[in-house]
């Protein structure tokens, strides 16, 4: 298998023809199945049927759910897909993440990577999806992100369960000497009703696992589902509420050493001079290790305990070089504004003739607005950490990560071993939100393990190091213009959005030899791909040359474009004297799934009914990651400030696998977005991040959170994602509610710069 970097050079090119050429080169990889990684690690009496299912002779059933469990419930839902077709209760199943392996590629993470909106289904759009999905397999791209895990696993894992069941039934038929068609399965038992005889799955597992898998399987129709479509008991919950050692920070190995890092507070800057003598002499310190990677430069500390490592890191005296980017927030904002003013950029949507539509527009029919958002940190509750051991030519990494195969590849290179001598043990994640798709914490642990003489080193970052060395949600700025028709509806919209490129920044850190070819659609996703029909509609993405590291933050570009797009739509409605919900109905009339979501959330909230004095509501809609989501936020004016009282959410996810988990993710995503909207920002001074902990980068607390009412719809014919889709509409719905309450149109986040919140 070629390395990711090698294949990516020929596949991550812009344009269907170029990508198709890459797929043609890798066609062999696309057609052949990857080896089953479970075959080499089976215990006595245990059989595997495919990369997702193991069954032992004691009837222990293990399902490999190869996506990172970070609280979103994916280990439960993926296991339920297998259990449904295997015909067992979910309680009978043990769930593991499994090893890093190309067999667990996630094609859906890349399938929507083309320039087409989710609702576009023409030949070009479908071809691009097929090609990009194939690229995911060619790369063996195992990852958790893009709200893609269920969409990717929906067929794969049901087929795995169905194939295993057929193989078990065939083995039971041989054992009992009866035709397979006369056998029935239920809860891990295969029975022959005519004679009353039966065998368990475990009794025939080894024989069944030795047989060839079926070439085709028939999956249960939705009407036949026993588990899917219903709330299930979370598979991860017992371990969490009992404090089981399941997270990266819980790893405990014999002869453990402990470590931390002290990286340059100015990204990409190297030390000018350093004095390590005080740190090296401190009790418990084993070694100070210089670090110089694609993620930056600094020092790692190896010690006999974590406290010694933390104190030694504080004692390192170092003068750092200057920042290569604008040194403070004001200068960064100027760079964004200069990018907007300079013209150019990549047009991601260009309907009609926008310039002509604006050419003769009377001034009173023009709506203009500038919007801006700050950098944001991920601020996972569990700080970045990883444990690594390099012993006898084998590298083991215990890492709460979202990208096991890339982690394996990059860490193997640092350790000087091959990938087949590198084992990535993916633990539970104490929050991810895209941050643990990065490699820095695993790479740093690997570098320290190289200096530990075969002993494992658990490297845990301080909270301050975590906040100040994130890969941030980028700051962004937008310039928006609309022309209204005689009926108050927009006849032309022009959106220009400037932001640092997430794709270019990510490649610099992970595969710096790869050019970031073509436009970065994440700059405008959530604006250029929304289901609004306006005769003249243009959206332009402008990459801003600010090299502060930026990365994938929950809902990526949708997180700020939801605010930009839906706040501006609210401005258009206000200027046109149209109810904001009614305007959405008219502009999205060509997309029934969108209208049904708008209708549902309006019905739930009794939109249009008079509210008591001092209360107001705001509406927003965003299509992201394949799900159509409308949110209405109700606020109240109180002596303590504006209180967010209630949020209504309607979401069409196409097919709902577990309504309980979906509701939890929608509310979680909304709280995440509201937290950012109310008070979060990352600012810079002298090239350094000013925030350091939860005291100055906090999330909403329980007493601040609203009540929620959620409706889950299944109207659209394609499945959507869930983990991120509640976030984009939250900020604009709140901002629009604040406008309805106060008359103040706030175009810059966080909102607490201009209004107070209770």
């Amino acid at each position: 298998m070629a390395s990711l970097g090698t294949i990516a050079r020929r596949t991550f090119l812009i344009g269907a023809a170029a990508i198709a050429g890459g797929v043609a080169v890798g066609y062999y990889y696309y057609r052949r199945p990857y080896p089953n990684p479970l075959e080499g690690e089976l215990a006595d009496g245990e059989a595997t049927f495919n990369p997702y299912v193991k069954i032992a002779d004691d009837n222990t059933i293990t399902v490999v759910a190869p996506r990172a469990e970070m609280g979103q419930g994916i280990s439960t839902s993926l296991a339920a897909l297998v259990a449904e077709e295997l015909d067992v209760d979910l309680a009978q199943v043990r769930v593991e993440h499994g090893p890093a392996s190309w067999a667990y590629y996630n094609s859906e993470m890349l399938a929507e990577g083309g320039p087409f909106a989710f609702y576009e289904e023409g030949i070009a759009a479908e071809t691009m999806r097929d090609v990009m999905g194939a690229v995911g397999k060619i790369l063996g791209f195992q990852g958790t992100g893009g709200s893609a895990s269920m969409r990717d696993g929906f067929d794969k894992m049901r087929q795995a369960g169905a194939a295993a069941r057929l193989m078990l039934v065939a083995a039971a038929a041989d054992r009992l000497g009866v035709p397979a068609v006369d056998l029935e399965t239920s809860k891990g038992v295969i029975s022959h009703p005519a004679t009353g005889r039966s065998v368990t799955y475990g009794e025939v597992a080894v024989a069944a696992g030795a047989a060839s898998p079926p070439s085709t399987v028939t999956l249960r129709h939705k009407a036949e589902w026993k588990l899917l479509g219903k709330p299930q008991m979370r598979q991860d919950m017992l371990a969490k509420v009992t404090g089981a050692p399941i997270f990266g920070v819980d790893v405990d190995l014999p002869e453990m050493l402990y470590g931390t890092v002290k990286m340059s507070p100015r990204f990409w800057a190297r030390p000018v001079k350093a004095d390590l003598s005080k740190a090296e002499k401190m009790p418990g310190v084993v070694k100070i290790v210089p670090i110089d990677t694609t993620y930056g430069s600094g020092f790692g500390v190896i010690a006999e305990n974590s406290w010694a490592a933390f104190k030694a890191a504080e004692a390192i005296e170092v003068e750092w070089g200057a920042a290569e980017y604008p040194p403070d927030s004001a200068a960064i904002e100027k760079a964004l504004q200069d990018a907007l003013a300079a013209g150019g950029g990549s047009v991601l949507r260009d309907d009609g003739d926008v310039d002509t539509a604006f050419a003769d527009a009377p001034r009173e029919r023009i709506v203009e607005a500038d919007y801006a958002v700050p950098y944001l940190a991920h601020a996972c509750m569990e700080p970045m950490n990883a444990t690594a051991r390099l012993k006898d030519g084998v590298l083991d990494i215990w890492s709460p990560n979202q990208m096991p195969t890339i982690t394996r590849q990059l860490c193997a290179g640092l350790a000087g071993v091959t990938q087949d001598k590198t084992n990535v043990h993916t633990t539970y994640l104490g929050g991810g939100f895209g941050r643990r798709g990065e490699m820095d914490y695993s790479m740093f642990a690997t570098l320290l393990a190289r200096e530990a003489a075969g002993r494992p080193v658990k490297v845990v970052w301080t909270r301050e190091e975590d906040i100040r060395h994130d890969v941030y949600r980028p700051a962004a700025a937008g310039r928006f213009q609309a022309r209204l028709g005689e009926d108050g509806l927009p006849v032309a919209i022009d959106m220009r959005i400037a932001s640092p490129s997430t794709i270019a920044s990510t490649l610099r850190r992970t595969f710096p030899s790869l050019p970031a070819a073509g436009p970065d659609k994440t700059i405008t996703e959530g604006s250029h791909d929304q289901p609004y029909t306006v005769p003249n509609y243009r959206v332009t993405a402008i990459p801003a040359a600010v090299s502060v590291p930026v990365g994938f933050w929950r809902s990526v570009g949708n997180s700020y474009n939801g605010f930009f797009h839906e706040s501006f739509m609210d401005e258009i409605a206000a200027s046109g004297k149209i109810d904001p919900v009614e305007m959405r109905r008219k502009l999205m009339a060509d997309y029934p799934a969108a209208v049904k979501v708008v209708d549902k959330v309006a019905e739930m909230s009794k939109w249009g009914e008079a509210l008591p004095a001092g209360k107001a509501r705001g509406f927003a809609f965003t299509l992201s990651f394949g799900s159509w989501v409308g949110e209405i936020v109700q606020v109240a004016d109180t002596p303590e400030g504006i209180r967010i009282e209630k949020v209504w959410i309607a979401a069409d996810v196409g097919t709902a696998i577990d309504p309980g988990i979906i509701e939890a993710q929608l509310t979680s995503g909304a709280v995440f977005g509201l937290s950012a909207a109310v008070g979060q920002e990352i600012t810079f001074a002298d090239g350094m991040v000013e925030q350091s902990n939860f005291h100055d980068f906090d999330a909403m607390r329980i007493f601040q959170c609203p009540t929620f009412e959620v409706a889950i719809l299944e109207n659209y014919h394609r499945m959507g994602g869930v983990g991120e889709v509640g976030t984009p509409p939250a900020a604009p719905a709140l901002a629009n509610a604040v406008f309805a309450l106060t008359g103040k149109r706030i175009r810059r986040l966080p909102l607490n710069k201009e209004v107070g919140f209770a």
Side-chain angles (χ1 to χ4, degrees), residues 343-380:
S346 300
V347 178
L348 273 296
R349 180 169 185 168
D350 195 6
D351 300 343
D353 187 339
V354 171
D355 291 332
T356 299
F358 278 104
D360 62 348
R363 182 65 203 152
E364 64 272 13
R365 297 225 170 257
I366 298 294
V367 182
E368 295 178 308
D370 285 0
Y371 281 82
V373 296
Y375 289 98
L376 293 174
H378 294 81
C380 303

Side-chain angles (χ1 to χ4, degrees), residues 306-537:
S306 293
W307 184 249
F310 291 160
K311 298 308 289 183
E314 291 177 8
I316 295 174
E317 297 178 0
V318 57
E319 178 185 335
W320 304 101
E324 64 175 47
Y325 43 84
D328 55 40
S329 293
I332 290 171
E333 180 167 353
K334 182 178 184 303
L336 293 174
Q337 295 299 326
D338 289 347
L340 282 175
S346 300
V347 178
L348 273 296
R349 180 169 185 168
D350 195 6
D351 300 343
D353 187 339
V354 171
D355 291 332
T356 299
F358 278 104
D360 62 348
R363 182 65 203 152
E364 64 272 13
R365 297 225 170 257
I366 298 294
V367 182
E368 295 178 308
D370 285 0
Y371 281 82
V373 296
Y375 289 98
L376 293 174
H378 294 81
C380 303
M381 187 61 67
E382 177 193 25
M384 296 303 106
N385 70 91
T387 299
R389 179 182 63 205
L390 181 59
K391 185 176 182 180
D392 300 329
V394 175
L395 174 65
D396 283 279
I397 309 166
W398 292 263
S399 171
N401 76 94
Q402 293 176 237
M403 302 288 172
T405 50
I406 300 180
T407 298
R408 179 179 64 182
Q409 180 178 344
L410 296 189
C411 290
L414 285 180
V417 300
T418 57
Q419 292 190 53
D420 63 333
K421 296 293 185 183
T422 302
N423 305 307
V424 177
H425 311 274
T426 300
T427 66
Y428 279 36
L429 284 58
F433 317 121
R435 176 62 178 94
R436 299 187 200 269
E438 299 294 328
M439 307 296 123
D440 47 358
Y441 54 95
S442 297
M443 291 169 65
F444 297 166
T446 299
L447 289 174
L448 268 60
R450 287 175 51 179
E451 307 297 324
R455 294 175 67 181
V457 185
K458 179 160 70 174
V459 181
V460 179
W461 297 19
T462 63
R463 179 68 61 192
E464 290 74 17
E465 194 75 19
D466 189 296
I467 295 291
R468 289 175 170 162
H469 294 87
D470 205 340
V471 292
Y472 302 96
R473 198 288 304 276
R479 188 156 295 162
F480 303 90
Q481 196 176 42
R483 176 181 178 172
L484 305 186
E486 295 293 333
D487 58 0
L489 293 174
V491 296
I493 292 177
D494 192 19
M495 299 183 170
R496 293 177 55 77
I497 299 159
S499 171
S501 169
T502 296
I503 301 300
S505 184
T506 301
L507 287 176
R508 175 178 181 173
R509 298 188 297 274
T510 52
F511 297 101
S513 62
L514 298 182
D520 181 356
K521 78 165 194 170
T522 67
I523 293 174
T524 58
E525 64 181 356
S527 284
H528 78 265
D529 50 4
Q530 296 306 291
Y532 287 79
T533 301
V534 177
N536 308 282
Y537 197 145

Side-chain angles (χ1 to χ4, degrees), residues 22 114 117 179 217 233-234 237 296 317 354 370 398 404 414 421 477 481 534 568 591 630 633 696 705 754:
V217 296
M233 185 71 71
R234 286 280 295 264
M237 203 52 63
E317 297 178 0
V354 171
D370 285 0
W398 292 263
L414 285 180
K421 296 293 185 183
Q481 196 176 42
V534 177
F568 189 58
Y591 304 96
V633 172
D696 54 9
C705 285
E754 297 194 39

Side-chain angles (χ1 to χ4, degrees), residues 129 325 501 574 578 659 714 719:
R129 290 187 183 104
Y325 43 84
S501 169
I578 304 175
E714 298 181 272
M719 181 184 285

